[in-house]
Amino acid sequence: MKGDDYCEKIIVMVVLCFSLSSITVEAVKQEQHQNAEVSQELFGVFMHELFCKDILDSVREFYKDDSISVTIKGGVELSKDKEGRYIMKFIVLPHSKLQGKKDKNSGTDTLTFRVNPFLLGPDSLDRKSAVTFLNLEHKDPTKQN
């Protein structure tokens, strides 16, 4: 009888340990998933801050209006071209920063840049050679696709 009690206790302990390890593994998986989402969001914010001057300068040049400001919308789309440079797309909402001035640029703009990360290093003297504005695509909210 004592042997049976001992075996039951061992079985209960094994089951209990297995259950606790399963719960712990599931909790770690859930935390990693949440961290991945935060990391993607943090990456987007970082890239917007890193390229905010390039974005603003390109929008102002496109519209030939220095009074334009932008609000960032959404994340960053990142891809790579054949030469190993990165293609970055940002979506922004252009608007006038002057009070009382009617916004003629309502809608969203998608800006595309080509970035050569090797030219953005600490020895870089010319950011314009590393970041190239490719195009701006304006989408008017009143027009249907």
Side-chain angles (χ1 to χ4, degrees):
M1 288 274 227
K2 277 193 164 188
D4 289 340
D5 286 341
Y6 183 71
C7 281
E8 286 178 12
K9 287 181 182 179
I10 290 178
I11 291 173
V12 168
M13 291 298 288
V14 168
V15 169
L16 184 59
C17 287
F18 180 73
S19 298
L20 289 175
S21 67
S22 296
I23 291 169
T24 304
V25 168
E26 189 58 37
V28 168
K29 284 182 184 177
Q30 201 169 29
E31 185 178 326
Q32 286 174 342
H33 178 67
Q34 288 171 346
N35 286 343
E37 289 176 9
V38 171
S39 295
Q40 184 64 27
E41 181 180 336
L42 188 60
F43 170 76
V45 171
F46 173 72
M47 296 309 281
H48 287 135
E49 288 179 6
L50 189 63
F51 289 93
C52 67
K53 184 173 179 356
D54 300 291
I55 292 169
L56 192 56
D57 289 349
S58 297
V59 169
R60 287 178 174 172
E61 176 64 28
F62 181 84
Y63 288 108
K64 307 289 187 232
D65 185 350
D66 287 339
S67 71
I68 289 180
S69 188
V70 296
T71 301
I72 303 295
K73 180 182 176 190
V76 177
E77 185 180 318
L78 183 65
S79 59
K80 212 168 187 181
D81 70 6
K82 294 175 185 174
E83 287 83 33
R85 297 169 299 193
Y86 293 93
I87 304 298
M88 301 182 67
K89 291 187 179 186
F90 299 93
I91 298 175
V92 300
L93 302 169
H95 52 85
S96 176
K97 65 180 182 179
L98 300 176
Q99 288 187 352
K101 185 172 179 182
K102 186 178 177 188
D103 283 339
K104 62 185 176 191
N105 308 315
S106 64
T108 59
D109 291 344
T110 302
L111 287 92
T112 306
F113 295 93
R114 182 177 49 237
V115 180
N116 187 336
F118 301 108
L119 297 178
L120 280 176
D123 298 330
S124 176
L125 299 175
D126 184 19
R127 183 175 173 91
K128 290 186 182 225
S129 63
V131 180
T132 305
F133 172 70
L134 297 178
N135 73 337
L136 184 149
E137 181 184 324
H138 180 77
K139 191 174 206 177
D140 192 342
T142 60
K143 295 182 180 177
Q144 298 293 325
N145 290 343

